[in-house]
Amino acid sequence: MASVKDVARLAGVSVATVSRVLNDSAPVTPETRDRVLAAVAELGYRPNAVARSLRTDATRTIGLIIGDILNPFFTELARAVEDEARGLGYSVVIGNADERPERQDHYVRTLLEQRVDGLLLCPTAEITPLVRDMVGDGKPLVFLDRTLPGLDVPTVRADGTAAIGELVGHLRRLGHRRIAFISGPAFLSTGRERTAAFAAALRDHGLPVRDEYLEAGDFQAASGRASAARLLDLPEPPEVIVAGDNLMALGALDEIRSRGLAIPGEVALASYDDLPWFTHVDPPITAIGQPVQELGRRAVRGLVERVGGGAGESVVLSARLVVRRSCGEHDSMEGSGPQ
Amino acid sequence: MASVKDVARLAGVSVATVSRVLNDSAPVTPETRDRVLAAVAELGYRPNAVARSLRTDATRTIGLIIGDILNPFFTELARAVEDEARGLGYSVVIGNADERPERQDHYVRTLLEQRVDGLLLCPTAEITPLVRDMVGDGKPLVFLDRTLPGLDVPTVRADGTAAIGELVGHLRRLGHRRIAFISGPAFLSTGRERTAAFAAALRDHGLPVRDEYLEAGDFQAASGRASAARLLDLPEPPEVIVAGDNLMALGALDEIRSRGLAIPGEVALASYDDLPWFTHVDPPITAIGQPVQELGRRAVRGLVERVGGGAGESVVLSARLVVRRSCGEHDSMEGSGPQ
DNA sequence: TTGTAGGCGTTATCAA
DNA sequence: TTGATAACGCCTACAA
């Protein structure tokens, strides 16, 4: 491949001059400039970002480690991150942790070695030694969606506490009393938060918190299905199943369908996370939606600020309830709820 | 950040020795080896992949440019590619063309500058000058899912011709005669291929190919919705709408639902591409599924082979029909069709 | 078995 | 305005 040297030779100038026109980092006469550009075109010269990064100690690249690339929530998040980053002149390298701590660490390591300028991490586990080191090293880092307590790292996330409260109130008004929750892993902040919010909401509405109605899932479809099965096998099964994320909702749906149960007649269903196709299920699924675009945008801005030497601050947005028909709502209620 | 030099100094050896133990590229006595490893640990040394790549002229990284990251087909494909690549010791950098030629070229350029060892491209357009150049330069390249005729590049894709034939036969047997197709863009090989297969299948079954039943979409949900609207507004609307990809199926579904039409009673629906949630729509959607995992695997293997100096060869797999209920199937038919 | 030194392609400093 | 040159961190002859 052609290098600056080749371009310089062909244009009859020094490599310094080539660099100057390419980055217009210093004044160059129009004529030499043209000569250089002509040489660039003729040789099909393409700057070597690897060499540039070595020299400048910056890659204009950020890493994004997501929990699970097959989870539409993360996919949408990745898309938002990518869009914002591109606008700011950064490339993003995505790592898929697949909800496995060791794979998360694999990507942390790889991205660090690739010398990304900063890292957006949706932590898949409790604090790993590697992550702790990274914080100590002062590499620009921002947590996204999930957080890790005890670490001084800016976090961009959506809080679902209020929305879950609304959901439980909504269910209560519909006459439901036996409400079950399939939670995410307790070692994830989102898992903990949603579970705690659910229990609190139950209490707020004078409903008992029954252990057997609290299933521990792992944010994957299979666990949603298994949890739903256990719930439906209970001597006194719940009237409503609330899934802690969209994948587990899909799993629960699988289980309910396979038993030929009517929704919401025999069991109602609601989901944390909202998806386009929830509209098309019969009945359409009542869900809690997150401001995904905004999460991605804010995270990138915060990270880039840190890369530039700024402080970076945590931001907490709000999730919101989207009422549809899967919980026994009447016609008049659909689409209600806070916008 | 600590460099080999620092490690060397701390271990009391030369940088060459450090490099040797890190890559075990040459014999080193156990004692020095231990000293080096200890220094590495103490300094938290992390090799600089940028410098290494500059020196070795290899990044152990491949680029993957997909059509649309919000399209579950590509998401699943990305996942498969990533898995296979990781197994072979490669990282993959994903670029989302968002079905826009200029954005595809943006990523081609960026990835080339980042000196990826090879590129997996799902072409989003006709041949762009940049892509043509790349082929000329001999940079390892493999087309995935879609192909670009006239370019000598190995392609890994699934052929849907047979499956579409089966689908039309299936519809015919169900008594349908007025079958419409929402096609992908004619400038994409997949768009062309599916449309041609559909027309051929119609003829094979003695059905007329009516222009007004051939809608031109762009593989995005909005176009699926608009196309379905035009189809349903026809003086003699079709009995069946076949969407050329899953996103357009979603859009068509939106339109059908918003008109309060019964599926399959008032209009039947089928989709190219199969998705987990198709099972949960009422009624479950009859679709054509692609061997996504295998596509990803084969593409990576082919590319890595090329990177290693091999030839690389094209592979064509087959899509298959999955019969469900959205076309007026009877109970006994569900799940039938070729496995 | 180990060390010295050159060079990968850039950018940036210092002179001219 | 331009050019010569050092340096970024690493690997790898070549020597010892």
Side-chain angles (χ1 to χ4, degrees):
Chain A
M1 277 222 96
S3 80
V4 266
K5 257 185 202 160
D6 304 306
V7 175
R9 195 176 319 123
L10 183 58
V13 299
S14 73
V15 293
T17 300
V18 174
S19 176
R20 281 191 269 258
V21 328
L22 258 29
N23 308 294
D24 55 31
S25 51
V28 172
T29 54
E31 302 85 67
T32 48
R33 172 186 198 74
D34 288 348
R35 283 220 309 287
V36 170
L37 260 20
V40 165
E42 181 170 344
L43 293 173
Y45 168 74
R46 216 171 283 295
N48 185 331
V50 173
R52 170 183 292 147
S53 294
L54 178 61
R55 180 56 232 247
T56 61
D57 199 34
T59 53
R60 301 284 309 170
T61 281
I62 64 177
L64 167 66
I65 300 177
I66 58 179
D68 177 7
I69 201 180
L70 293 187
N71 182 331
F73 167 76
F74 285 115
T75 286
E76 209 183 326
L77 190 59
R79 162 71 189 265
V81 164
E82 214 281 325
D83 281 348
E84 184 70 14
R86 189 165 18 76
L88 296 173
Y90 282 82
S91 293
V92 7
V93 182
I94 301 176
N96 170 32
D98 205 21
E99 302 296 13
R100 313 230 279 261
E102 73 279 8
R103 192 157 298 177
Q104 164 195 291
D105 275 11
H106 164 83
Y107 281 109
V108 171
R109 217 178 329 261
T110 301
L111 293 172
L112 249 27
E113 293 186 357
Q114 290 182 190
R115 296 299 193 263
V116 292
D117 292 340
L119 205 50
L120 249 26
L121 177 61
C122 309
T124 292
E126 292 169 302
I127 302 174
T128 65
L130 185 58
V131 171
R132 187 184 295 283
D133 284 358
M134 183 168 41
V135 176
D137 292 352
K139 168 68 77 176
L141 176 65
V142 168
F143 288 148
L144 180 51
D145 174 47
R146 304 165 176 178
T147 191
L148 248 26
L151 247 31
D152 184 28
V153 172
T155 300
V156 175
R157 65 188 188 88
D159 185 294
T161 306
I164 288 174
E166 280 171 39
L167 172 61
V168 170
H170 171 71
L171 295 172
R172 190 71 195 75
R173 249 170 282 127
L174 254 17
H176 298 300
R177 313 199 91 248
R178 301 199 309 277
I179 308 173
F181 187 75
I182 306 178
S183 75
F187 54 80
L188 295 186
S189 63
T190 45
R192 281 193 304 275
E193 177 190 289
R194 293 170 199 177
T195 307
F198 175 73
L202 246 36
R203 279 188 294 266
D204 286 352
H205 289 86
L207 261 20
V209 179
R210 296 167 57 166
D211 266 1
E212 69 270 33
Y213 285 176
L214 252 170
E215 274 288 333
D218 63 3
F219 279 160
Q220 303 282 348
S223 78
R225 174 151 198 173
S227 292
R230 278 189 295 271
L231 290 170
L232 296 171
D233 280 339
L234 249 27
E236 189 179 42
E239 294 157 333
V240 189
I241 294 179
V242 179
D245 88 332
N246 70 69
L247 256 21
M248 296 194 298
L250 178 61
L253 199 50
D254 274 331
E255 183 62 26
I256 294 169
R257 284 282 153 76
S258 79
R259 292 177 182 227
L261 264 24
I263 303 176
E266 300 180 86
V267 60
L269 179 68
S271 173
Y272 200 100
D273 286 337
D274 194 17
L275 294 181
W277 63 266
F278 276 6
T279 289
H280 295 304
V281 176
D282 179 43
I285 298 180
T286 292
I288 290 174
Q290 301 193 54
V292 186
Q293 297 298 318
E294 191 63 11
L295 284 174
R297 245 195 304 272
R298 302 290 281 268
V300 172
R301 279 193 220 144
L303 183 62
V304 168
E305 190 185 321
R306 292 211 69 188
V307 169
E313 50 169 4
S314 290
V315 355
V316 181
L317 306 174
S318 292
R320 56 178 243 282
L321 177 65
V322 181
V323 172
R324 288 197 271 254
R325 326 268 331 229
S326 62
C327 298
E329 291 88 349
H330 322 111
D331 275 4
S332 62
M333 303 180 70
E334 179 157 5
S336 79
Q339 259 308 339
Chain B
M1 279 222 94
S3 79
V4 265
K5 256 185 202 159
D6 303 306
V7 175
R9 194 174 321 122
L10 183 58
V13 299
S14 73
V15 294
T17 300
V18 175
S19 176
R20 282 190 268 256
V21 330
L22 258 29
N23 307 296
D24 54 32
S25 50
V28 172
T29 53
E31 302 86 65
T32 48
R33 173 187 198 74
D34 288 347
R35 284 220 310 287
V36 170
L37 260 19
V40 164
E42 182 170 343
L43 293 172
Y45 168 75
R46 216 170 284 296
N48 185 331
V50 172
R52 171 184 291 147
S53 294
L54 180 60
R55 178 58 232 249
T56 61
D57 198 35
T59 53
R60 300 283 312 170
T61 281
I62 64 177
L64 167 66
I65 300 178
I66 58 178
D68 177 5
I69 200 179
L70 293 186
N71 182 330
F73 167 75
F74 286 116
T75 287
E76 208 183 327
L77 190 59
R79 161 72 190 267
V81 164
E82 213 281 325
D83 281 349
E84 183 70 15
R86 189 165 18 75
L88 295 173
Y90 282 83
S91 293
V92 7
V93 181
I94 301 175
N96 170 32
D98 205 21
E99 301 296 11
R100 312 228 281 262
E102 72 279 10
R103 192 156 296 175
Q104 165 197 288
D105 275 11
H106 163 84
Y107 281 110
V108 171
R109 220 178 328 262
T110 302
L111 293 171
L112 248 27
E113 292 186 357
Q114 290 181 191
R115 297 299 193 266
V116 291
D117 293 340
L119 205 50
L120 249 25
L121 177 61
C122 310
T124 292
E126 292 169 300
I127 301 173
T128 65
L130 186 57
V131 171
R132 189 185 294 283
D133 284 359
M134 183 168 40
V135 176
D137 292 353
K139 167 70 75 174
L141 175 66
V142 167
F143 289 147
L144 180 51
D145 175 46
R146 304 165 176 176
T147 191
L148 248 26
L151 248 31
D152 184 28
V153 172
T155 299
V156 175
R157 65 188 188 86
D159 185 294
T161 306
I164 289 175
E166 280 171 39
L167 172 60
V168 171
H170 171 71
L171 295 173
R172 190 68 196 79
R173 249 170 281 126
L174 256 15
H176 299 301
R177 312 199 89 246
R178 302 199 308 277
I179 308 174
F181 187 74
I182 306 178
S183 75
F187 54 80
L188 295 185
S189 63
T190 45
R192 279 193 305 275
E193 175 190 290
R194 292 170 201 177
T195 307
F198 175 72
L202 246 35
R203 279 188 293 267
D204 286 352
H205 290 86
L207 262 18
V209 179
R210 296 167 58 166
D211 266 1
E212 68 271 33
Y213 285 175
L214 250 170
E215 275 288 332
D218 64 2
F219 280 159
Q220 302 282 347
S223 79
R225 174 151 197 174
S227 292
R230 279 190 294 273
L231 255 13
L232 296 171
D233 281 339
L234 251 25
E236 189 178 43
E239 294 157 332
V240 189
I241 295 179
V242 178
D245 88 334
N246 70 70
L247 256 21
M248 297 194 297
L250 178 60
L253 199 50
D254 274 330
E255 184 62 25
I256 294 170
R257 284 280 150 78
S258 79
R259 294 179 180 223
L261 263 25
I263 304 175
E266 300 180 86
V267 60
L269 179 68
S271 173
Y272 200 101
D273 286 337
D274 194 17
L275 255 29
W277 62 266
F278 276 6
T279 290
H280 295 303
V281 176
D282 179 43
I285 299 180
T286 293
I288 291 174
Q290 300 193 55
V292 186
Q293 298 298 318
E294 192 62 13
L295 284 174
R297 244 194 305 271
R298 301 290 281 268
V300 172
R301 279 192 220 145
L303 183 62
V304 168
E305 188 184 321
R306 292 211 69 188
V307 169
E313 51 169 4
S314 290
V315 356
V316 180
L317 307 175
S318 293
R320 57 177 243 281
L321 177 65
V322 180
V323 172
R324 287 197 272 255
R325 326 270 329 231
S326 62
C327 297
E329 292 87 350
H330 322 113
D331 276 7
S332 61
M333 303 180 71
E334 179 157 5
S336 80
Q339 261 308 342

